[in-house]
Structures are given as structure tokens and as C-alpha cells.
Amino acid sequence: MAPNLLWVGLGNMGRGMSKNLVEKGNLDSPLLLHNRSVQRAVDLNQRLGLGKTEVVESLEAAVPRADIIFTCLADDGAVHDTINSALQNDVKGKLFIECSTIHPDTTEAIAKAVLARGADFVAAPVFGPPAAAEAGQLIGVLAGPEASVDRARPWFKGVMAREEILLADQPYGKATTLKVLGNTFILNMIEQLSEAHVAAEKTGLGTDIMHKFVEALFPGPYAAYSTRMLSGDYYKRDEPLFGVDLARKDARHAQALGAAAGVRLQNVEVADAHLAQIQEHSGSSGDISGIYGAVRKESGLRFENDA
């Protein structure tokens, strides 16, 4: 009989990941859904169809009913609060699978707390945009004791993920170290695209020609972000795909990891300065791709490319 699953956190990533658990996870019972904003859980429940999920308004009611608890939350504080709340219950024998992007020190601290209560823990951050989460095409990074990782794997490749990076019997924090440093690739990619497109516009080369180059040589994420920039999606969205506040949190974690190891991440510093400009221009609704608008503005153009 399949274990009972609880999903906590229904942001852009969590909605897609939990959808794939329901559709591909061969569950015997409804997936329990909990989110601070209950309406998000209600909306997903209605979207996925009758009997596929069940909305639970409190962790106190949900945790005793679950064998496996997934968390995918915005930041370190939210993870701390959620795990601490869950641990007020008897969790002996349960498995916590933590998918958030948090500092490795936070990962190790919550793992220690979970283990002390007799439960198992796997650090399992994921790579990929919300569209990949929706399609079950993420890359999962799983760290922890091999037995715990093996217990978590049925829900990743072929369900929520297309690939896995397995760090069995390695420190939990290695998974989130990879995740934090891996996200700097995204920051640097967007920074490079933004600078190239602004330079192409101001030199007279043209952003259309630059975009054709990107599509030909760097298909995939580069081309997708290039399209988002040139279409104006970077400032037109009602809800960001990768919110600027979360991006700055990731940049802070990356710089802290680098500083602790004696490495200065100068590319991240440049990108983070542009993220700060997005916050000033758009507030928390700003998207990471708005780096393009920030580079435009400091180069003498309007933040928006609607002209």
C-alpha cells in the first residue's frame, strides 16, 4: 500500500510538483495539501479533480495522517517555522523531504531537529522553472542516508523530475550548496543576456539579430529568457515566475557561501545590484528577468521596452 503524502507550500514550483505527484505518483489516497494561503490549496484541489487531493488547514491535523511530508517554501524562515510546527506532533518513522532553496546551514539544522524526533530526512532541492515543475521535468538533488534517499526516489525521476543527482550518504547541506551555487548560473545568464540585448539595441545591431544568435547557439533556457525580455514579459506579469525577493535571497546565500570559502562571486554582486533596482522599480512583484529593465535604465533607456 502506498504511503500517505502531505505537501506543504503551493508557490509556483509547489503547485506543479504536487500536481505531478497526483497524476503520476500512483497514490492510494488523496494528496494532503497545506498552504499558508488556504485559497491556493483550494484552487489546486478544484483544478485536479474530485478526490485527488484534500485541503488541510492546519499542520497539527495533517502531519499525523501523513507518512511522507514534502515541504517547498519561500525562504529559510518559512522552512524553520513549518518544520518546527510539524515536529510538535509524533513524527517517529515519518520521512521529511525538503525541496526549498535555503542555506546549507539551515538544511543541516532542520535535519538535526527532524532526526532527533525519530523521523527521516532528505534534502531534495530541485532545478528548473515553474514550467518544468508543471511538466514533471525538474532535476532533483537528493542528499541524506542512502536508505532515506531510496525511500524518497520514487517521487522524483519519472514523477516530478526528469533526472536526479544523487548524493546518498553525503551531508544534507551538499544538496542545498549545489542548489544555491547552481542558481548563480541563472543569475549570470540573465545578466549576460540583458547586457547583450541592451548593447545590441544601442549599437544599432538590433535585438532581433541578437535573439537569432541566442536561439541558434544557446537554445533552451537562454532562448526562453531572451524571448521573455524582448516580449516585455519581464515587466507585464501579474505574478513573477521567479520573484525578485527570492532571487536576492539566493544571491545572499551564494555570496555568503563564497565568502566563507574565500571566494568572491563578483558576477553575482553585479546581478544582485540590478535585482535591487528591480525591487526599487517594481517592488516584490518584480521578476528576475527584470534585470533586463535595470540594465536598460542604467544605460539611458526606459525600464520597459514598450517603445
Side-chain angles (χ1 to χ4, degrees), residues 95 121-123 142-154 156 166-169:
L95 172 64
F121 184 86
V122 171
L142 281 66
E146 185 172 9
S148 300
V149 169
D150 286 345
R151 193 176 168 191
R153 288 187 67 192
F156 285 86
L166 300 178
L167 303 176
D169 289 334

Side-chain angles (χ1 to χ4, degrees), residues 4 25 35 89-90 110 116 119-120 122 142 149 158 168 186 199 202-203 212 223 229 240 259 268 284 286:
N4 294 323
N35 193 69
N89 300 271
D90 179 7
I110 62 174
D120 294 333
V122 171
L142 281 66
V149 169
I186 300 170
K202 297 206 71 175
T203 61
K212 289 177 182 177
M229 292 172 185
V268 177
S284 295

Side-chain angles (χ1 to χ4, degrees), residues 168-278:
D169 289 334
Q170 298 204 43
Y172 300 106
K174 278 198 173 183
T176 38
T177 297
L178 177 58
K179 171 59 176 171
V180 167
L181 294 180
N183 274 10
T184 68
F185 283 64
I186 300 170
L187 270 177
N188 295 335
M189 171 184 68
I190 296 171
E191 181 68 34
Q192 180 60 59
L193 281 169
S194 299
E195 293 176 7
H197 274 311
V198 172
E201 179 173 346
K202 297 206 71 175
T203 61
L205 173 65
T207 56
D208 56 338
I209 294 175
M210 182 59 69
H211 182 67
K212 289 177 182 177
F213 162 76
V214 170
E215 284 188 312
L217 198 59
F218 302 110
Y222 272 85
Y225 269 105
S226 179
T227 297
R228 291 189 63 203
M229 292 172 185
L230 299 187
S231 68
D233 181 79
Y234 69 95
Y235 69 88
K236 294 178 180 177
R237 300 189 62 84
D238 293 328
E239 181 180 3
L241 287 179
F242 191 158
V244 63
D245 293 347
L246 297 182
R248 293 208 73 192
K249 176 261 297 180
D250 292 355
R252 288 194 299 271
H253 286 342
Q255 290 178 86
L257 285 174
V263 181
R264 184 179 176 188
L265 303 181
Q266 296 186 60
N267 288 345
V268 177
E269 292 176 13
V270 172
D272 187 44
H274 287 139
L275 292 174
Q277 293 178 36
I278 299 171

Side-chain angles (χ1 to χ4, degrees), residues 234 273-275 277-278 290-299 303:
Y234 69 95
H274 287 139
L275 292 174
Q277 293 178 36
I278 299 171
I291 287 175
Y292 177 47
V295 175
R296 287 175 55 83
K297 189 172 181 180
E298 72 179 14
S299 302
F303 186 96

Side-chain angles (χ1 to χ4, degrees), residues 114-139:
V114 168
L115 296 176
R117 295 299 304 273
D120 294 333
F121 184 86
V122 171
V126 295
F127 286 104
E134 183 77 14
Q137 294 295 300
L138 297 169
I139 299 172

